[in-house]
Amino acid sequence: TARFNPLEADAHWQKVWEERGTFHTSDSSGRPKTYVLEMFPYPSGRIHMGHVRNYTMGDVLARYRRMNGFEVLHPMGWDAFGMPAENAAMEKKVHPGAWTRSNIATMRGQLKRLGFALDWSREFATCDPEYYGHEQALFLDLLEAGLVYRKQSEVNWDPVDMTVLANEQVIDGKGWRSGAAVERRKLSQWFLKITDFAEELLEGLGELDQWPDKVRLMQENWIGKSQGMRFRFALEQPIGGHRDLEVFTTRPDTIFGASFAAVAADHPIALTLAEGNEALVAFIAECKAGGTTAAELETAEKKGFETGLRVVHPLDPNWTLPLYVANFVLMDYGTGAVFGVPAHDQRDFEFATKYRLPIRRVVAPAIEDADLPIGGEAETGPGVIVNSRFLDGLDVEAAKAAVIARAEAESWGEGTIVWRLRDWGVSRQRYWGTPIPVIHCESCGPVGVPKDQLPVLLPEDVSFDIPGNPLDRHPSWNSAICPRCGAPGRRETDTLDTFVDSSWYFIRFASQPTDKPFDRAIAESWLPVNQYIGGVEHAILHLLYARFWTRALKRIGLLDIEEPFRGLFTQGMVTHETFRAPDGRWLSPDEVEQKGGTWIESATGQPAQPGRVEKMSKSKRNTVDPEPIVNQYGADAVRWFMLSDSPPERDLPWSEAGIEGAWRFVQRLWRMSMQRAEDGDEAEGEDKALDRKLHQTIASVGANIESLAFNKAVANIYELANAIEKAPVSRSRAKAIETLVLLIAPMVPHLAEQAWATLGGKGLIADARWPEADPALLVEDEVTIAIQVNGKLRDTLTVPKGSARETLQEMALASERVVRILEGKPPRKVIVVPDRLVNLVA
Ligand code: ANZ
Ligand code: ZN
């Protein structure tokens, strides 16, 4: 038979699917609905192997569910806003929009070339004004509901380029282009109140039983709920009306390890004391000059000013502690005041070392270790409480509870819940994003743009010749009329974080009317996404923001869905070998060869050092461009390789041998299918064993695809193929081949369509029904029985399942080996466990 020609077949079937609208999804077909979604790509330029792997997995599931009678929503679009487009604009002098659109065109073609069963009629890019206009409307709804607010927040400021930098543009504390040391500046920015949802986002994780445990744990840690406490120290002498000092702690268990108390430089007590105290005024000024980020506070030298005041320990009226003003205490966190436990907090440790304050252990590995000295740094780990009176012997958590209970009973403090989660700052001082639909008015403040004036379009006429945000310096775009009072105002020039765009795209895929973001009933008929597939790098932010956005829409009554993604799967990466030249240059695997057992760089003959097998990345020069591979081997071989070699959650090492193996197997599948045509319809005779193998394969391939164990489904198909090849011509074999073609259709759809058409199948195989496994053929009808003498295995018997006790006993006694061991004597006792064993007691 002729070889399978993937280039012809791929093009032909892709055209047929497109012309017939095979994968257009209907909202109203009456079939049960299922939603399969892969994380939409950023249009960076070209499709990479990671995309191919991700989308192949989703495609197999989508096609499988179609064949099982579902109406499958399987859409594709583009996460199209973001920094790289602006960088390209600066470097290549192309407009970010033009750059993005041309990348989308390339990548769309590459995806189509792989034959994915996508509903392209629902495609959109987040930079489409229709999309971001609806996003602006949703932003205004959240603003009106009080879930959006404005506050001062710090940004990275490049003092040479006079521009705000994104975090990715700050490299080792320096601006990526100017190389100048980056400063922190406070700007008024927009925030979404995700912290209002902290409790429900945490609770909701409990129900996500189709998510990987590790992702749920990462989200749990990110939300970070912990027990804290506020309590008051009495001041030994009142000062300026202050009688006590309220502190905040997350470690009330260490209360007996306190050796000082400290307030922030701008704490009211510090300000009161500073009146007329020049030394303190100077110290406060010094504190304010330093940075205030967590990282800076961590590394900066800890400095304090001893006030001369003392505070009274709440659990011992005879115990007082000195009060400092300290540079590492922040005014806008907790109460702006702390108590210091040098043994168990690193900042306090450094502070105490400098000012010679006691370092007292209150947590130890075991109760006997109470006197163990503290070494060169604070011990922050778990342990047993020591040197702490009524807390001695408790673990950390129990001691926290005990201290809080006591404080609450004696009314000097209260337990509080603390969250690590912070509100989501969504302002970006960039051009290529969704404009925040707000106008600033001198008398009215920030006012939302009326919805009938949406979308607020990005201006096209911008230049990237000088650094900074082109929206800021646009000659006309940023002037606007205040919608409330009609006075001239200024348009907001910040754009939204691109994570906002990806927080609701899956809703817009489900329903995209022109006059509103989505139709509620239709969106609810598809959501939640039944299976979401993507990289683990999005385990925290994207997934958390999308969960928040969905709950926020529910709260404001726009959508009655709580969790957007019912099932989540995080696939492994595609990896490849790495090589380096002696001078440290990365060499692409194409540039090296093996000679006499060592690697050399082909062009120069210089030795090449093989490195680790690592995630494909441009910087290590170990990427493989999928396009030429698809053109050489065809889409099906590439798809097959992506599924076959590794479990989908693990890394997949790319190899030439692997793709060639896949190509050979595709050819073998083709020859086998054509064998069916050659055998003709006259083939006769049953082959029970092959029938059984076939039906077991139907069941296991289906179950393995459902559980996304694609490599196992592939292995099932290899086995069936082997069995078919070994089997003589029979009616059973004809049926097995026909069914095999259906079983491979989700994985190698082009070959399957071609074989289906050649063998005279009706319509498209994409629309065919998945074969049904006959339950009667799933059970093995023979079993192996163990024959024991005095509990020791002596022989085995293969018998029909369900054979009678008497039959088994007779057969066991007739066994040659048993007869030999019993030396002809009858056994004293016979124990028969049907289908399992016969034990003869001699
Ligand atoms: C006593 C203690 C003992 C603390 C110990 C820690 C370890 P997180 O977990 O980041 O929320 N703290 C409280 N308010 C502060 C402020 N305004 N500026 C600087 N530090 C402040 O940090 C909470 C801990 O940071 C609190 O618990 C407090 O120090 C300190 F072994 O209290 B701790
Ligand atoms: Zn106004």
Side-chain angles (χ1 to χ4, degrees):
T1 50
R3 278 225 309 225
F4 174 62
N5 182 339
L7 298 194
E8 272 172 26
D10 292 0
H12 175 73
W13 294 108
Q14 286 163 17
K15 191 158 151 256
V16 170
W17 294 327
E18 181 146 354
E19 282 171 359
R20 299 198 194 172
T22 306
F23 303 118
H24 283 201
T25 312
S26 159
D27 292 330
S28 54
S29 67
R31 276 190 279 268
K33 292 179 174 176
T34 191
Y35 189 171
V36 176
L37 181 68
E38 299 97 56
M39 292 180 182
F40 67 162
Y42 177 76
S44 56
R46 301 176 66 75
I47 292 296
H48 57 64
M49 280 297 174
H51 293 129
V52 177
R53 190 175 188 206
N54 188 179
Y55 301 146
T56 300
M57 290 180 190
D59 200 53
V60 171
L61 184 65
R63 286 176 177 270
Y64 170 76
R65 291 206 173 146
R66 266 181 75 80
M67 292 178 79
N68 279 278
F70 284 95
E71 188 71 36
V72 181
L73 176 55
H74 186 219
M76 182 54 72
W78 311 95
D79 188 12
F81 275 135
M83 275 306 295
E86 282 188 49
N87 295 344
M90 287 182 259
E91 280 156 21
K92 303 188 186 122
K93 307 267 176 258
V94 354
H95 190 278
W99 182 83
T100 305
R101 298 268 164 218
S102 103
N103 288 347
I104 288 176
T106 307
M107 293 169 76
R108 183 194 297 117
Q110 292 182 310
L111 289 184
K112 289 195 170 177
R113 180 68 190 81
L114 281 153
F116 295 131
L118 293 163
D119 180 356
W120 284 102
S121 73
R122 297 181 186 236
E123 176 195 4
F124 61 80
T126 55
C127 63
D128 296 342
E130 300 80 60
Y131 183 78
Y132 71 68
H134 291 304
E135 185 166 304
Q136 291 168 337
L138 292 175
F139 179 88
L140 292 172
D141 291 337
L142 296 179
L143 180 64
E144 197 172 319
L147 293 174
V148 180
Y149 66 98
R150 227 163 128 70
K151 83 170 181 205
Q152 289 274 317
S153 169
E154 285 178 335
V155 293
N156 306 304
W157 177 255
D158 186 321
V160 170
D161 276 354
M162 306 274 281
T163 186
V164 177
L165 299 178
N167 286 335
E168 313 81 277
Q169 295 174 315
V170 182
I171 297 153
D172 296 332
K174 302 209 169 68
W176 65 311
R177 308 185 90 204
S178 70
V182 168
E183 293 170 5
R184 300 234 134 214
R185 275 219 174 170
K186 285 214 166 181
L187 287 185
S188 215
Q189 303 196 57
W190 294 97
F191 284 82
L192 298 188
K193 269 197 195 161
I194 189 171
T195 55
D196 258 29
F197 295 76
E199 188 78 66
E200 43 176 300
L201 287 169
L202 183 65
E203 291 283 308
L205 290 174
E207 278 140 51
L208 295 176
D209 54 354
Q210 294 174 37
W211 278 39
D213 287 341
K214 74 169 180 229
V215 175
R216 290 197 290 177
L217 188 67
M218 284 158 89
Q219 294 227 341
E220 186 181 325
N221 290 338
W222 187 264
I223 297 168
K225 182 180 187 177
S226 67
Q227 180 69 63
M229 178 186 180
R230 286 167 176 253
F231 71 88
R232 292 160 293 281
F233 284 103
L235 290 172
E236 214 176 24
Q237 302 117 358
I239 169 107
H242 302 283
R243 312 196 135 264
D244 44 35
L245 172 70
E246 188 171 45
V247 296
F248 165 68
T249 178
T250 47
R251 295 293 307 271
D253 54 300
T254 64
I255 195 160
F256 289 106
S259 53
F260 65 95
V263 297
D266 32 8
H267 190 277
I269 292 184
L271 299 177
T272 306
L273 289 170
E275 282 163 29
N277 183 338
E278 267 174 47
L280 182 52
V281 169
F283 180 74
I284 290 173
E286 190 189 330
C287 289
K288 286 190 169 167
T292 55
T293 66
E296 279 167 319
L297 289 174
E298 212 69 58
T299 48
E301 191 190 347
K302 311 294 172 290
K303 285 185 201 156
F305 183 94
E306 192 168 359
T307 62
L309 298 182
R310 296 188 76 86
V311 299
V312 183
H313 197 285
L315 287 164
D316 186 342
N318 299 319
W319 181 3
T320 64
L321 305 167
L323 177 65
Y324 286 80
V325 178
N327 68 344
F328 64 91
V329 183
L330 303 172
M331 191 56 219
D332 54 10
Y333 185 53
T335 61
V338 304
F339 71 96
V341 181
H344 304 293
D345 180 279
Q346 186 57 26
R347 292 164 301 184
D348 298 347
F349 181 87
E350 290 166 30
F351 192 81
T353 310
K354 178 158 177 189
Y355 295 105
R356 299 175 193 284
L357 294 162
I359 300 179
R360 182 206 308 256
R361 173 189 291 282
V362 289
V363 182
I367 194 91
E368 307 79 66
D369 302 322
D371 298 329
L372 209 66
I374 298 285
E377 57 180 20
E379 292 183 16
T380 55
V384 176
I385 305 296
V386 293
N387 303 321
S388 297
R389 308 184 195 184
F390 71 100
L391 301 176
D392 281 356
L394 295 179
D395 67 30
V396 167
E397 290 310 316
K400 284 181 185 174
V403 172
I404 291 169
R406 173 102 173 233
E408 288 178 351
E410 297 174 355
S411 315
W412 49 267
E414 303 79 34
T416 55
I417 298 296
V418 234
W419 301 90
R420 188 178 170 278
L421 187 67
R422 294 278 165 270
D423 276 337
W424 176 14
V426 293
S427 286
R428 294 292 178 273
Q429 293 71 37
R430 317 256 37 124
Y431 166 74
W432 194 234
T434 299
I436 295 178
V438 164
I439 291 163
H440 296 278
C441 166
E442 254 191 73
S443 34
C444 309
V447 182
V449 173
K451 280 197 183 165
D452 59 10
Q453 291 170 30
L454 297 182
V456 175
L457 291 173
L458 279 175
E460 285 287 321
D461 53 335
V462 285
S463 87
F464 292 86
D465 298 345
I466 48 174
N469 180 356
L471 294 178
D472 262 339
R473 55 170 189 267
H474 194 280
S476 57
W477 183 81
N478 42 29
S479 31
I481 299 298
C482 170
R484 198 164 292 160
C485 71
R490 188 179 148 80
R491 220 176 255 300
E492 171 68 65
T493 57
D494 285 354
T495 52
L496 289 172
D497 180 4
T498 59
F499 276 118
V500 176
D501 310 335
S502 52
S503 286
W504 73 286
Y505 78 106
F506 48 90
I507 308 176
R508 183 80 184 159
F509 275 148
S511 162
Q512 38 187 291
T514 44
D515 59 336
K516 52 186 172 190
F518 50 84
D519 176 277
R520 179 174 168 166
I522 297 176
E524 285 171 1
S525 78
W526 286 112
L527 289 167
V529 172
N530 297 80
Q531 185 63 58
Y532 197 27
I533 309 181
V536 73
E537 65 276 16
H538 294 299
I540 299 179
L541 293 183
H542 161 56
L543 291 170
L544 191 65
Y545 291 150
R547 294 181 62 218
F548 155 68
W549 194 272
T550 307
R551 282 171 187 271
L553 293 182
K554 179 176 164 99
R555 190 174 293 183
I556 64 178
L558 291 186
L559 185 69
D560 192 19
I561 298 284
E562 274 174 1
E563 288 293 338
F565 311 119
R566 187 77 196 88
L568 172 72
F569 186 80
T570 52
Q571 96 270 4
M573 295 176 298
V574 184
T575 59
H576 198 200
E577 297 159 297
T578 56
F579 292 92
R580 284 187 133 169
D583 60 7
R585 261 180 313 128
W586 293 98
L587 297 171
S588 137
D590 294 338
E591 294 168 334
V592 300
E593 60 191 89
Q594 222 167 3
K595 225 178 192 171
T598 60
W599 289 96
I600 58 159
E601 181 178 358
S602 311
T604 61
Q606 294 277 316
Q609 185 63 40
R612 284 200 314 215
V613 175
E614 289 192 65
K615 175 182 179 178
M616 288 188 178
S617 88
K618 289 208 177 99
S619 63
K620 302 211 167 102
R621 304 204 58 226
N622 65 338
T623 57
V624 174
D625 185 353
E627 191 171 293
I629 305 281
V630 177
N631 288 335
Q632 186 179 350
Y633 296 97
D636 289 341
V638 175
R639 295 167 59 110
W640 187 261
F641 178 56
M642 289 290 126
L643 300 166
S644 56
D645 268 30
S646 302
E649 66 280 6
R650 301 257 193 84
D651 289 352
L652 170 70
W654 173 264
S655 79
E656 199 76 17
I659 181 70
E660 272 163 19
W663 184 82
R664 277 196 303 274
F665 190 70
V666 165
Q667 292 297 337
R668 202 174 132 200
L669 286 170
W670 176 250
R671 284 194 301 276
M672 210 175 295
S673 322
M674 292 307 102
Q675 187 63 52
R676 170 71 189 84
E678 271 163 41
D679 290 352
D681 287 335
E682 307 308 311
E684 278 193 34
E686 300 255 313
D687 183 337
K688 263 273 163 206
L690 187 60
D691 287 346
R692 229 179 353 254
K693 182 84 206 164
L694 174 65
H695 284 265
Q696 285 166 352
T697 308
I698 295 172
S700 54
V701 169
N704 282 327
I705 292 178
E706 264 307 329
S707 61
L708 310 181
F710 303 109
N711 61 318
K712 290 191 189 158
V714 160
N716 299 147
I717 286 174
Y718 271 109
E719 273 190 46
L720 178 61
N722 289 340
I724 290 174
E725 275 176 347
K726 283 197 207 113
V729 183
S730 68
R731 219 176 43 230
S732 297
R733 195 178 83 164
K735 186 73 193 154
I737 295 175
E738 285 163 19
T739 311
L740 174 73
V741 174
L742 286 162
L743 296 179
I744 59 177
M747 295 131 168
V748 288
H750 309 86
L751 177 139
E753 291 287 7
Q754 187 85 30
W756 181 256
T758 314
L759 299 181
K762 260 201 256 123
L764 292 174
I765 202 168
D767 293 323
R769 284 300 298 223
W770 186 255
E772 253 173 66
D774 178 353
L777 289 169
L778 292 182
V779 283
E780 289 288 351
D781 47 9
E782 290 186 326
V783 284
T784 305
I785 305 270
I787 311 293
Q788 302 174 337
V789 178
N790 295 333
K792 232 173 159 183
L793 182 70
R794 294 300 185 179
D795 202 355
T796 59
L797 285 174
T798 302
V799 297
K801 216 170 166 183
S803 298
R805 286 169 180 275
E806 300 72 43
T807 321
L808 295 176
Q809 179 170 342
E810 247 167 64
M811 290 176 77
L813 287 170
S815 151
E816 230 175 274
R817 297 166 74 179
V818 169
V819 170
R820 218 176 318 127
I821 292 164
L822 292 180
E823 294 168 335
K825 287 174 237 151
R828 279 200 291 127
K829 205 173 154 196
V830 182
I831 302 155
V832 182
V833 184
D835 290 344
R836 298 274 306 281
L837 63 80
V838 179
N839 187 16
L840 307 165
V841 184

